[in-house]
Amino acid sequence: MTKPAKAIALKLCLFLLCLAVLAACSDNGNNSAASPGNDANAPAASTDPAGSPAPSGLPEVKLTFIYPVAADPGPDQQLVNDEINKYLKEKINATVELKPLTFDEYEPKLNAMLAAQENFDIAFSSKGWLGNYQPYIDRGAYLEITGDMISKYAPEARANIPDKFWPDMKAADGKVYGFPVYQIAAKQKSFVIQKRFADKYNLDIASIQSYKDIGPFLKTLKENEKGIIPLGLAQNSNGIYIDRTEVGADGSPVFYKKDDPDMKMISKITQLEGKKEYFQTMHDWFKAGYINQDAPVLQNINDLKNKGNVAVAIEFTSKPGGEISEKAINGGNDVIYAPISDSYFTGIASAIQVINKNSKNPERALMLINLLNTDQYLYNLICNGIEGKHYTKTGEQYIAPIENSGYAPNGDWVFGNQFNAFLKPGQAADTWEKTIELNDNAIVPASNGFQYSEEKVKAEMANINAVKNEFEAALETGAVEPDKVLSDYIDKLKASGIEKVEAEIGAQWEAFLKNKE
């Protein structure tokens, strides 16, 4: 090579080296701003719908996302899906096929897809509900994403989750198999009451402290409001009974007495025996016609509430601004909350996005999860549809849904970080700030972060669940006489091995407490 040629080559190498250094600095800056461990509550959201060019070197892939919805999102589902894919192509060179499923069909469909090893990438999961987190992990259904995967493919989303909440994502083996949909993480049970009836009969909301207190109001409704269901219940409505002397979370087998320094686990049998009066009250209400007669077989109360003729229902996670979404579910009728429990921190694992262990593109799936939980434009596109067609912008952070627009999944809590959501008419400007405050101030039970494994008691758990399905909904909705049924229920639980199960879970609970010391 001649000397001039060598000089040109050297200058070219130096130029390329400078570009590489500048790019590395830029990447390091981004990663440090969104590093795991940041306790910032405000999401690092991108609001630019134009996006940026797809990262070079990423081959185009197609992803599939299955998730539950309360009702059919509407005829424009594919139109919104297409708009989402235009954006994702620019962002991560991927497209996604959205597959919404009703609450009733979600679990059977998820099981069928897993059994057939059908290809899908992202699914919805939760603790103690649809796609139940730990049992599906025990089955080997979900991909472990602990450590490097999250820090490499979802660092911004992880940065938005306060560290003190993260233990809730750990499975029984201490590993992480999903990413939380960050939203309300404190549970306060409330009656949801249509405001028109509360106003008409001068209901004192402050006087409603437990299930007993709503009785006189239900009686008034039954006697005076023809065609109205005083108290709407379904199979998923159990939980109106509250024992304020106990600490525990719904979906967990671990409850303990507030004043017990050893936090010994209370048995299911003890709890059932303590609910005799409650079961009798519910049965009295059922016989009096306060409760819809199909309650023990109705799978989802929203099927009734949507008609607008349910005066009172139960909401397990009443939250700031929640009355607005409840209004949509209650046939457009305004509602108010009447809290009947303390506010407990329930963790962030009530809604989770998981990756199928057999996904062909798990890294890109996690990149999509990262965007759903950080990118405000994408999140609101999947939640609310296309601006001008499905909603109108009424302020910097406010929108007004267009009635009968063709797209209304009503599932913000399924899709991603809810603190990126636009506010809707009637929601206070500080709704998200109040929600974060509620999360931070809620009572945190000692069981936070406890996950138990059913591996040693699988057969007994299956038998117990079958017995619960036989008796629980009927008792909780008041459809049966408790004096005749409760003892049979307890006997069958014992015959199914509940004492063995509770001994196993109790040992895991004690080990968990010991490790926390």
Side-chain angles (χ1 to χ4, degrees), residues 43-66:
S46 166
T47 59
D48 178 13
S52 55
S56 60
L58 286 178
E60 182 179 344
V61 300
K62 181 179 179 180
L63 303 171
T64 304
F65 180 15
I66 63 172

Side-chain angles (χ1 to χ4, degrees), residues 246 253 255 264-272 498 502:
E246 294 180 0
F255 283 78
K264 184 179 179 180
M265 189 176 85
I266 302 170
S267 76
K268 173 76 169 178
I269 305 300
T270 299
Q271 287 182 315
L272 286 173
I498 194 166
E502 291 186 337

Side-chain angles (χ1 to χ4, degrees), residues 324 380 384-405 407 422-427:
I324 304 305
N380 281 285
N384 302 305
I386 301 167
E387 182 179 358
K389 181 168 181 60
H390 304 115
Y391 70 88
T392 54
K393 204 82 183 291
T394 58
E396 185 177 349
Q397 285 300 315
Y398 276 91
I399 64 169
I402 298 172
E403 192 173 354
N404 300 319
S405 67
Y407 186 74
F422 289 134
L423 297 171
K424 296 183 174 69
Q427 287 185 301

Side-chain angles (χ1 to χ4, degrees), residues 177-197:
Y177 293 82
F179 201 90
V181 175
Y182 189 31
Q183 52 177 313
I184 183 74
K187 178 170 287 189
Q188 185 174 40
K189 293 182 182 179
S190 299
F191 283 121
V192 180
I193 305 169
Q194 285 199 26
K195 189 175 183 297
R196 55 178 173 147
F197 297 123

Side-chain angles (χ1 to χ4, degrees), residues 417-449:
N417 187 336
Q418 200 165 10
F419 300 124
N420 278 331
F422 289 134
L423 297 171
K424 296 183 174 69
Q427 287 185 301
D430 61 353
T431 292
W432 302 137
E433 289 79 5
K434 283 185 175 179
T435 304
I436 290 168
E437 182 181 353
L438 188 64
N439 286 349
D440 291 343
N441 294 334
I443 299 169
V444 181
S447 55
N448 179 42

